[in-house]
Amino acid sequence: MSDRWDYDNMFIDGAWTADDTVGVIKVIDPATEEAIGSVPEAGLKATRAAIAAARRAFDDGPWPRTSPRDRAKVLRRFAAILDERHNFLKKLVMAESGSVGFLADIIQVRGTIDIAEWIAEAMELAVRWTEVSPPAGGPTGMAGHVVVREPVGVVAAITPFNFPFFLNIVKVLPALAAGCTVVLKPHQWTPLDAFEIAKAAQDADLPPGVLNVIAGGPEVGAEMTTHPLVDMVTFTGSTTTGRAIMAAAAPTVKRLQLELGGKSASIVLDDVPEDHVANMGIITSMIHAGQGCAIQTRMLLPEHLLDAYVDGAKRSASSLKVGDPRESDTLIGPLIRERQRARVEAYVQSGLDEGAELVFGGKRPAHLAKGFFYEPTLFVNARNDMRIAREEIFGPVLTVITYKTEEEAIRIANDSIYGLGGGVITGNTARGFNVARQIRAGNVSVQTVGPPTVNVEALGSSGPGWSADQPNGVGITGVFGGFKQSGIGREWGHHGIEEFTELKSIAWS
Ligand code: NAD
């Protein structure tokens, strides 16, 4: 008998309630297909009650009027409570999202709790809440102005299934830090951890209505994005849903923060020696079964390195253990649902139909009868006009395209509707930075093979989210978000808090 997490009530206006629920959402573990818990499904009436509670808490409650310093104290308490429950949360998140253990440690849970602490630090140290111009003498006496940051208002937060706890926290806490009030709706497949976030909010003494947590599918999301009492939507999910939300939010001109899909490219430069090329991008593109928005799923390889790459990749394929995420040597867990696995299969078939060469994978693992597993899959000799190179697969599939010149590689990397992530692998860090600057994406990594040729320490945090003492790259200065159709706005660090503020200028004379 596996663990179960059942929640009978939603969290609205500081209280647990089942009023106006319309059903029960059953949650399954994608690795075992067994039921692991349930949450109540909100109807439209309950959704409106949550929005109204957030509105009252914003208009009449203390939270938006509390000083940033005092809000930071509450957020620190919030983070400390999550920290105390860390082991419990890790078990829950691994079961609901199919995450392997090391990923739960780096980002899904442990890393997320670190981020919760950094948000409190960033709001105190890095956000400029007021900017005062020195008063100047004028014909009527002294004059001047002050620019202040004020909270946007009521925020609707809507999240996807792949990194549920992480994405719930990086939306909710920055919004709270700014003084906003929030209605959180997690994905219907992974709603459990959001109810634990609600419990932590209550235990941290957040005032009633400041955070409300409800569960439901697209209809609930649609109500949240059209409702006139909502001022801002922060959304992470597919570009298709992002477009629908943008249209839905237009009549009431809501502020938008959209973190959408990607088809990120890594460029291997021609200065990488043949004996270093073997495993490149294999593990990083298959991580979380490929269910990551900024995963570099297109690899651009110089023609002369292809044979060495294929030989090395074939050798490394056997070390990519697919299986139960709870086994410590598992690298690749399941896809979230059968529907997603069928989608990956359709993309793999399209790759074959369009003439790409399958090196390994391309099927379900024979040894796993239960769970939505799929083998790590590598295509080479692909072209950038194939569907496997243009569309987001969201599965463990890497597509390799060869190129002749650096200019061609940059052009192919940028030939995409998306602009979320990117990478450069090089033997020369300075050259890598130069190429990184030409990739039209919000988050680019430079990986130097061999000893660095410039002093990377001296570059400080100028790399994308890079920081020496913060291995997952978030910290108080890291930033994350997309160019082009990968989104609008930025998350993480002080930028992520400032997204939830309006600038107001107050002049005096
Ligand atoms: P999705 O768009 O299907 O669903 C995301 C959320 O939107 C869910 O909570 C869903 O219930 C809700 N929703 C669906 N239709 C809606 C509507 N019409 N109005 C309002 N809400 C609606 O995305 P998904 O399949 O859960 O997640 C995978 C996608 O998320 C991928 O495209 C991935 O790249 C993207 N993603 C982006 C980032 C990022 O930071 N850029 C991070 C993680 C995932």
Side-chain angles (χ1 to χ4, degrees):
M1 178 71 189
S2 57
D3 293 298
R4 276 199 71 99
W5 296 270
D6 291 291
Y7 302 85
D8 296 330
N9 296 300
M10 303 168 295
F11 188 62
I12 297 178
D13 210 7
W16 293 92
T17 170
D19 287 355
D20 302 316
T21 53
V22 293
V24 172
I25 297 176
K26 293 188 176 138
V27 182
I28 61 167
D29 179 333
T32 61
E33 300 181 40
E34 278 174 25
I36 53 164
S38 60
V39 297
E41 182 176 2
L44 291 186
K45 230 171 138 191
T47 307
R48 288 173 194 147
I51 293 169
R55 186 79 255 167
R56 280 193 304 277
F58 187 82
D59 291 344
D60 308 323
W63 190 250
R65 285 158 274 278
T66 304
S67 71
R69 190 161 176 268
D70 286 340
R71 287 203 298 269
K73 279 187 199 153
V74 178
L75 296 195
R76 284 210 168 84
R77 212 155 55 222
F78 201 138
I81 291 166
L82 294 174
D83 201 14
E84 281 163 19
R85 300 173 189 173
H86 160 247
N87 285 328
F88 172 85
L89 286 165
K90 181 173 170 183
K91 225 174 185 184
L92 183 159
V93 171
M94 285 175 67
E96 75 171 345
S97 69
S99 170
V100 296
F102 77 87
L103 208 52
D105 290 332
I106 298 169
I107 191 98
Q108 294 262 26
V109 181
R110 174 70 268 154
T112 299
I113 294 169
D114 289 343
I115 290 165
E117 288 159 7
W118 292 335
I119 290 165
E121 197 173 325
M123 71 183 286
E124 287 199 299
L125 300 181
V127 176
R128 290 183 71 188
W129 295 97
T130 54
E131 292 172 37
V132 185
S133 300
T140 56
M142 297 290 276
H145 70 261
V146 57
V147 174
V148 293
R149 285 191 180 276
E150 296 194 353
V152 167
V154 173
V155 173
I158 302 175
T159 52
F161 65 78
N162 58 337
F163 287 81
F165 181 63
F166 168 74
L167 291 163
N168 290 335
I169 290 292
V170 298
K171 293 199 170 309
V172 168
L173 263 68
L176 297 181
C180 293
T181 59
V182 179
V183 179
L184 170 65
K185 186 203 87 63
H187 196 287
Q188 55 277 21
W189 290 339
T190 52
L192 302 173
D193 64 276
F195 286 73
E196 289 301 321
I197 292 173
K199 278 189 189 170
Q202 191 177 33
D203 295 345
D205 291 329
L206 209 65
V210 172
L211 175 65
N212 307 273
V213 175
I214 57 177
E219 323 72 44
V220 171
E223 180 66 14
M224 292 165 71
T225 55
T226 50
H227 200 291
L229 296 184
V230 171
D231 298 295
M232 173 170 171
V233 179
T234 174
F235 168 75
T236 297
S238 63
T239 295
T240 305
T241 307
R243 290 185 193 113
I245 286 178
M246 215 170 163
T252 46
V253 195
K254 298 189 194 313
R255 305 290 172 273
L256 290 176
Q257 183 188 45
L258 302 176
E259 301 291 343
L260 309 177
K263 190 74 198 179
S264 307
S266 60
I267 302 179
V268 180
L269 293 181
D270 60 8
D271 54 18
V272 173
E274 235 181 64
D275 54 348
H276 274 79
V277 89
N279 289 325
M280 272 176 190
I282 300 281
I283 291 176
T284 48
S285 61
M286 309 295 171
I287 212 88
H288 203 28
Q291 301 169 112
C293 53
I295 288 179
Q296 294 162 17
T297 52
R298 283 185 296 158
M299 175 174 279
L300 310 183
L301 199 66
E303 278 177 346
H304 74 272
L305 290 177
L306 182 62
D307 290 345
Y309 185 73
V310 169
D311 284 350
K314 276 183 184 157
R315 281 196 303 276
S316 69
S318 57
S319 66
L320 303 171
K321 185 184 159 190
V322 183
D324 191 322
R326 281 156 285 250
E327 289 167 13
S328 62
D329 57 342
T330 299
L331 261 173
I332 300 168
L335 292 156
I336 193 75
R337 289 290 181 274
E338 182 55 39
R339 202 171 96 190
Q340 294 302 107
R341 180 160 64 171
R343 184 185 141 98
V344 173
E345 286 176 327
Y347 273 113
V348 168
Q349 189 57 50
S350 82
L352 294 169
D353 294 345
E354 290 187 279
E357 185 186 327
L358 185 68
V359 176
F360 57 72
K363 57 186 190 314
R364 299 175 179 206
H367 67 290
L368 294 164
K370 283 273 181 194
F372 310 117
F373 296 97
Y374 197 77
E375 283 189 359
T377 298
L378 176 67
F379 277 114
V380 296
N381 289 322
R383 294 185 318 272
N384 203 46
D385 62 358
M386 294 177 174
R387 287 184 65 206
I388 55 168
R390 302 203 77 73
E391 297 176 25
E392 187 180 42
I393 299 175
F394 232 53
V397 182
L398 175 63
T399 299
V400 175
I401 300 167
T402 51
Y403 70 85
K404 287 189 173 60
T405 64
E406 186 177 302
E407 293 68 32
E408 186 193 6
I410 295 166
R411 188 184 51 70
I412 297 171
N414 289 335
D415 178 15
S416 170
I417 63 163
Y418 298 111
L420 191 55
V424 187
I425 305 173
T426 177
N428 179 319
T429 312
R431 184 178 170 205
F433 267 78
N434 184 38
V435 173
R437 290 299 300 264
Q438 297 176 71
I439 297 177
R440 299 265 307 143
N443 316 274
V444 187
S445 62
V446 177
Q447 184 191 334
T448 307
V449 175
T453 46
V454 298
N455 181 357
V456 179
E457 291 289 332
L459 293 168
S461 59
S462 62
W466 186 87
S467 173
D469 59 345
Q470 289 152 354
N472 62 12
V474 181
I476 69 165
T477 55
V479 65
F480 188 84
F483 286 23
K484 301 193 270 182
Q485 294 187 37
S486 287
I488 297 175
R490 291 294 177 270
E491 285 186 326
W492 303 0
H494 67 96
H495 302 282
I497 298 170
E498 288 161 7
E499 287 279 325
F500 294 97
T501 64
E502 294 274 22
L503 289 172
K504 178 191 278 181
S505 173
I506 304 174
W508 73 88
S509 57

